[in-house]
Amino acid sequence: MIEEGSKRGKAMVEKRQLFMEMRAQNFDVIRLSTYRTACKLRFVQKRCNLHLVDVWNMIEAFRDSGLNTLDHNAEINVSRLETILSSIYYQLNKRLPTTHQINVEQSIGLLLNFMVATYDSEGHGKLTVFSMKSMLATMCGGKIVDKLRYIFSQISDSNGVMAFAKFDQFLREVLKLPTAVFEGPSFGYTEHSVRTCFPQQKKILLNTFLDILMADPPPQCLVWLPLMHRLANVENVFHPVECSYCRSESMMGFRYRCQQCHGYQLCQSCFWRGHANGPHSNQHQMKEHSSWKSPAKKLSHAISKSLGCVPIGEPPHPMFPEQSEKPQDTMAHTVQPKPVANNMNNTMLMSSGAPTPTKSVLESPSRLDEEHRLIARYAARLAAEAGNSTVSSSTVSSSTQCPPTDLSFNFDANKQQRQLIAELENKNREILQEIQRLRLEHEQASQPTPEKAQQNPTLLAELRLLRHRKDELERRMSALQESRRELMVQLEGLMRLLKAQTGGSPHSSPSHGAGCSMPMPIRSTSAGSTPTHTPQDCLAGVGGDVLEAFAHGVPRNLRNDLLVAADSITNTMSSLVKELHSVDDAAEEEDNNMRNGGLRDRAEAE
């Protein structure tokens, strides 16, 4: 009894340990629930060392423990589950080097208690086979496409078509993972979850299943699953860019660039917490970057893309054959046969713990026919080059049942194809040489030299002097424009006064006062920039003959415009003085005449 109580107490401590460590990471400050859920599950994955075990090792462990022969609804007790987990971790330690061995007992205890807390909340002490497979296949390491292929093999029927009832059961089990890390309100199971994943499709095959679950964006209830894999891929990615909020000179993980604010970038910590400053807002659309490309790489990629050397719109996963075989834990029915590099594929599958495709799949009739056609083409080519096309053609036709006309046609087509391939290879070599040359020039230009270092202080001083001179010239031009406007306003008032005096109008100078009291336009320019208003803006508030005299014509240089305006003002003032003098002379002559006439009248009277 004492021993059982100690075991139970140890299990409770290990159960609480994982969740206490997860709370210590302070994931709840992450603003978006998708990133919050993915970070929590990634922490559980790494803490239990599941990221070191891929789905192929899981399949091997399932097969060794006999789970592939059990029904999905069959139940296994906790002791058998512990035995399965022990075999998984002990096999992992055999594959790892001695310097990277894991603590097997601790990993078993943490994972076992997490699985029991997730799938046996009522304390029955049993889990279904499908629950265990779904959890381990989802939380293990490896590629997401391999995980989804295995999951599809478990929920499809004998015709290779997904059963909606089994997929609904899979969603019930896999969505217990977000609930276990306290994210159930965002990603809990609902009765409409299946139809939200496949709203219109009625017959779901393997490629359709992969297209939908690996789409961008994926179904809402499973959006955290591909994000968890992206988190694993970018944990060690370095971005030599400064964060616009925390001013960190480098970033690790994701990098986020605003699509609205130019040059505004955030590290993943600031973006996840919703930080923003300056004109940027959390409502702006952000683009997630999981890698960093240097300017040289961007240039070479842009050149290659423009020349068609880079494929555009690559599919998110390879296309797999839709075969109607019974689902099994070996995944042999989902492996795509490839006529080229079969040895490499078999080696990779054997190293990952998965069996190779069967011999009947590899030696299919279509593959044999394709090999015969290739042999016929090569034989026809050799026969034509050797000048013995008749004998070779008859030999090939007797062995492969191809007529000579087909061989000659194949030879002509092959010759054209060879010429085209040679031209493309030459062009590709030229492009690669040009890219290499541009890359070397960019590297040489970006590397600082002693001469540049010596010239830098002088160049900086000259640049500051030129900027200061430019600011002075701009201020002087602005002052000249304001003076010009004031002179033109005064000139307008004088001309109106002159017209009033010559025409006998009693109104004289209201326009002068109004023109002088008009507000000046405000210039909103930053330091080092050119004035935003044109010389025509200085005519604001000026009308009549002055506006007609100076506002017409095409835009001219500011200096010439000022000179012409000054000349015009000078000429106008000269004519104005002359007219004033002529008026004064006429008035003086009239006074003299009147004075002379009075003198004559007085003399006659005397």
Side-chain angles (χ1 to χ4, degrees), residues 572-587:
T572 306
M573 292 297 293
S574 300
S575 61
L576 178 61
V577 172
K578 289 180 181 179
E579 290 178 3
L580 290 175
H581 282 301
S582 63
V583 171
D584 294 337
D585 293 340

Side-chain angles (χ1 to χ4, degrees), residues 42-197:
R42 175 62 178 169
F43 172 79
V44 174
Q45 182 190 49
K46 294 182 67 176
R47 189 66 183 86
C48 297
N49 290 313
L50 280 175
H51 65 293
L52 302 175
V53 185
D54 59 16
V55 68
W56 307 101
N57 303 128
M58 289 295 180
I59 294 172
E60 184 180 3
F62 297 159
R63 186 177 61 247
D64 293 342
S65 59
L67 294 181
N68 57 329
T69 60
L70 298 178
D71 186 75
H72 282 172
N73 296 323
E75 294 182 342
I76 58 174
N77 54 25
V78 177
S79 60
R80 185 175 180 182
L81 175 61
E82 186 176 1
T83 303
I84 296 172
L85 298 182
S86 300
S87 65
I88 291 173
Y89 283 115
Y90 279 113
Q91 291 295 327
L92 172 62
N93 256 355
K94 291 181 181 180
R95 295 190 298 269
L96 294 176
T98 55
T99 56
H100 292 76
Q101 297 287 308
I102 65 170
N103 189 338
V104 175
E105 296 298 331
Q106 185 182 22
S107 301
I108 294 173
L110 291 175
L111 181 57
L112 180 64
N113 286 288
F114 179 75
M115 294 182 67
V116 171
T118 304
Y119 294 101
D120 188 26
S121 58
E122 298 181 358
H124 297 299
K126 293 182 180 181
L127 278 75
T128 63
V129 173
F130 191 68
S131 298
M132 189 192 66
K133 286 184 176 181
S134 301
M135 186 271 175
L136 293 177
T138 304
M139 292 295 293
C140 69
K143 298 180 179 180
I144 186 174
V145 63
D146 295 332
K147 293 183 181 182
L148 295 177
R149 287 168 60 195
Y150 173 71
I151 291 170
F152 184 82
S153 70
Q154 301 298 304
I155 62 176
S156 57
D157 57 15
S158 58
N159 296 321
V161 180
M162 187 193 76
F164 281 90
K166 292 184 179 180
F167 180 71
D168 181 76
Q169 185 181 2
F170 167 73
L171 286 182
R172 288 177 183 268
E173 303 299 337
V174 77
L175 291 181
K176 291 179 182 179
L177 293 172
T179 305
V181 293
F182 315 107
E183 296 295 334
S186 300
F187 299 105
Y189 171 80
T190 62
E191 297 179 356
H192 305 286
S193 299
V194 177
R195 284 302 169 188
T196 58
C197 297

Side-chain angles (χ1 to χ4, degrees), residues 68-364:
N68 57 329
T69 60
L70 298 178
D71 186 75
H72 282 172
N73 296 323
E75 294 182 342
I76 58 174
N77 54 25
V78 177
S79 60
R80 185 175 180 182
L81 175 61
E82 186 176 1
T83 303
I84 296 172
L85 298 182
S86 300
S87 65
I88 291 173
Y89 283 115
Y90 279 113
Q91 291 295 327
L92 172 62
N93 256 355
K94 291 181 181 180
R95 295 190 298 269
L96 294 176
T98 55
T99 56
H100 292 76
Q101 297 287 308
I102 65 170
N103 189 338
V104 175
E105 296 298 331
Q106 185 182 22
S107 301
I108 294 173
L110 291 175
L111 181 57
L112 180 64
N113 286 288
F114 179 75
M115 294 182 67
V116 171
T118 304
Y119 294 101
D120 188 26
S121 58
E122 298 181 358
H124 297 299
K126 293 182 180 181
L127 278 75
T128 63
V129 173
F130 191 68
S131 298
M132 189 192 66
K133 286 184 176 181
S134 301
M135 186 271 175
L136 293 177
T138 304
M139 292 295 293
C140 69
K143 298 180 179 180
I144 186 174
V145 63
D146 295 332
K147 293 183 181 182
L148 295 177
R149 287 168 60 195
Y150 173 71
I151 291 170
F152 184 82
S153 70
Q154 301 298 304
I155 62 176
S156 57
D157 57 15
S158 58
N159 296 321
V161 180
M162 187 193 76
F164 281 90
K166 292 184 179 180
F167 180 71
D168 181 76
Q169 185 181 2
F170 167 73
L171 286 182
R172 288 177 183 268
E173 303 299 337
V174 77
L175 291 181
K176 291 179 182 179
L177 293 172
T179 305
V181 293
F182 315 107
E183 296 295 334
S186 300
F187 299 105
Y189 171 80
T190 62
E191 297 179 356
H192 305 286
S193 299
V194 177
R195 284 302 169 188
T196 58
C197 297
F198 306 101
Q200 299 177 352
Q201 294 82 359
K202 295 182 179 180
K203 183 178 180 181
I204 308 298
L205 301 177
L206 174 60
N207 292 310
T208 307
F209 181 79
L210 295 177
D211 289 339
I212 294 175
L213 294 189
M214 296 182 67
D216 187 16
Q220 181 60 31
C221 61
L222 295 174
V223 69
W224 51 269
L225 180 58
L227 179 58
M228 186 174 68
H229 286 79
R230 295 204 306 273
L231 280 174
N233 294 331
V234 302
E235 284 181 348
N236 298 319
V237 175
F238 175 77
H239 304 270
V241 182
E242 182 183 13
C243 178
S244 299
Y245 184 84
C246 65
R247 299 302 176 185
S248 176
E249 296 182 355
S250 60
M251 303 181 190
M252 292 294 292
F254 286 121
R255 173 170 55 93
Y256 298 89
R257 176 186 289 273
C258 181
Q259 302 298 292
Q260 190 168 338
C261 304
H262 177 69
Y264 193 90
Q265 301 188 83
L266 292 176
C267 62
Q268 67 177 19
S269 178
C270 293
F271 176 74
W272 289 354
R273 285 156 177 79
H275 294 325
N277 59 345
H280 179 69
S281 171
N282 289 328
Q283 304 300 322
H284 292 180
Q285 184 179 2
M286 303 290 286
K287 185 176 182 181
E288 181 183 277
H289 294 273
S290 57
S291 63
W292 165 257
K293 290 183 180 179
S294 63
K297 287 185 178 180
K298 289 182 180 179
L299 177 62
S300 62
H301 181 78
I303 295 175
S304 302
K305 187 176 181 179
S306 62
L307 296 175
C309 300
V310 176
I312 301 175
E314 295 183 356
H317 64 85
M319 297 300 294
F320 299 100
E322 310 289 357
Q323 300 179 1
S324 58
E325 293 187 8
K326 294 182 180 181
Q328 48 187 319
D329 286 327
T330 59
M331 289 187 69
H333 71 293
T334 60
V335 178
Q336 181 184 14
K338 295 182 179 181
V340 182
N342 280 313
N343 294 331
M344 184 182 298
N345 292 337
N346 294 339
T347 304
M348 294 173 62
L349 293 174
M350 292 176 65
S351 63
S352 61
T356 58
T358 58
K359 185 177 181 181
S360 61
V361 174
L362 292 177
E363 296 182 358
S364 59

Side-chain angles (χ1 to χ4, degrees), residues 447-465:
Q447 291 178 356
T449 59
E451 297 179 356
K452 291 182 180 180
Q454 294 176 1
Q455 294 176 359
N456 279 339
T458 306
L459 292 176
L460 290 175
E462 293 180 355
L463 182 59
R464 293 192 191 97
L465 183 61

Side-chain angles (χ1 to χ4, degrees), residues 357-399:
T358 58
K359 185 177 181 181
S360 61
V361 174
L362 292 177
E363 296 182 358
S364 59
S366 60
R367 174 176 167 79
L368 295 177
D369 293 341
E370 186 176 358
E371 290 180 353
H372 284 305
R373 286 195 296 270
L374 290 174
I375 293 172
R377 291 178 183 177
Y378 284 120
R381 185 186 304 172
L382 293 174
E385 292 176 354
N388 192 12
S389 59
T390 305
V391 178
S392 299
S393 298
S394 61
T395 305
V396 173
S397 62
S398 62
S399 60

